[in-house]
Amino acid sequence: MTLPQIAQLEFPDTELIQQTSPDKVHKTFLWDFNKGDFVLKDGKLIEVTGIEYVKIWVEKALRTMKDSLIYEGTGYGSEYHTLIGKNFHPDFTRSEYERMIRDALLQNDAITQVDNFVFTQNGERLTIDFQVKSIYGSTERGVTV
C-alpha cells in the first residue's frame, strides 16, 4: 500500500506583507504626557507611526489601570498599580511587576517582546526599566512606582 502524495502549500509573500504592514494598522496621535493633551500643529492632530507609535502606546497602557471604567471588559491597561503600597517579599513583587507589565504590553500585536527588566530602589520609590521590542525596532521604557 502506498501513501498518497501530499501537495506542498505555498503562500504568496505579498499576502504576508499586507497583513503586517505597519503604517496601515499601527498609528496613533502624538500625546504630551506632561500637559495631558494631544500635540497640535496648525490646529491639527499629529499622527505617528512606527517606533514613536509604540512609545506612546506603551506609556498610555502602563498609565491606565486595567479595566478602568472607560476600558472596562477590554483588558486594556496594567495591573501593576495594585502592588503599590503592598508589603510582599521583594522577589515576589519584582516577579509580579514583570508579569503585569509584560501582560499589559503584549496585548499589542506590534510588540513582540518585553524583557531586560532592571529594578532600582531609591528610598520609597522603585524604578523599573525594561526593553520593548516591536516590529518597528526596540525602545527602552520605564515606570516609577
Side-chain angles (χ1 to χ4, degrees):
M1 176 163 136
T2 60
L3 295 174
Q5 293 289 335
I6 298 175
Q8 285 189 310
L9 297 175
E10 291 184 29
F11 298 98
D13 290 338
T14 55
E15 190 174 316
L16 296 175
I17 291 170
Q18 289 173 351
Q19 291 175 358
T20 59
S21 178
D23 293 336
K24 293 184 181 181
V25 178
H26 302 106
K27 55 187 170 183
T28 191
F29 296 104
L30 192 57
W31 184 264
D32 184 330
F33 289 97
N34 293 324
K35 292 181 182 177
D37 203 357
F38 291 104
V39 176
L40 301 176
K41 182 175 181 179
D42 299 326
K44 295 182 181 178
L45 295 171
I46 301 170
E47 193 174 273
V48 294
T49 59
I51 197 67
E52 291 306 313
Y53 155 82
V54 172
K55 290 176 183 178
I56 291 172
W57 195 93
V58 165
E59 189 73 23
K60 284 182 177 180
L62 292 178
R63 286 181 180 222
T64 302
M65 294 176 88
K66 188 171 188 170
D67 290 328
S68 57
L69 185 59
I70 194 167
Y71 296 108
E72 192 172 6
T74 65
Y76 178 78
S78 176
E79 298 176 288
Y80 83 86
H81 305 90
T82 61
L83 293 176
I84 297 173
K86 304 289 189 215
N87 192 14
F88 297 118
H89 189 279
D91 291 338
F92 172 79
T93 303
R94 288 180 176 145
S95 175
E96 280 297 281
Y97 275 127
E98 284 186 33
R99 181 189 65 78
M100 291 175 172
I101 290 170
R102 244 188 222 107
D103 287 352
L105 300 184
L106 290 175
Q107 290 181 47
N108 186 318
D109 64 353
I111 296 173
T112 58
Q113 193 172 351
V114 181
D115 58 9
N116 298 327
F117 285 84
V118 176
F119 296 85
T120 308
Q121 189 77 42
N122 188 2
E124 294 183 5
R125 306 300 270 173
L126 176 66
T127 301
I128 307 166
D129 294 306
F130 50 92
Q131 184 177 39
V132 177
K133 296 178 183 172
S134 76
I135 61 175
Y136 305 107
S138 297
T139 182
E140 301 294 324
R141 302 280 72 176
V143 295
T144 300
V145 295

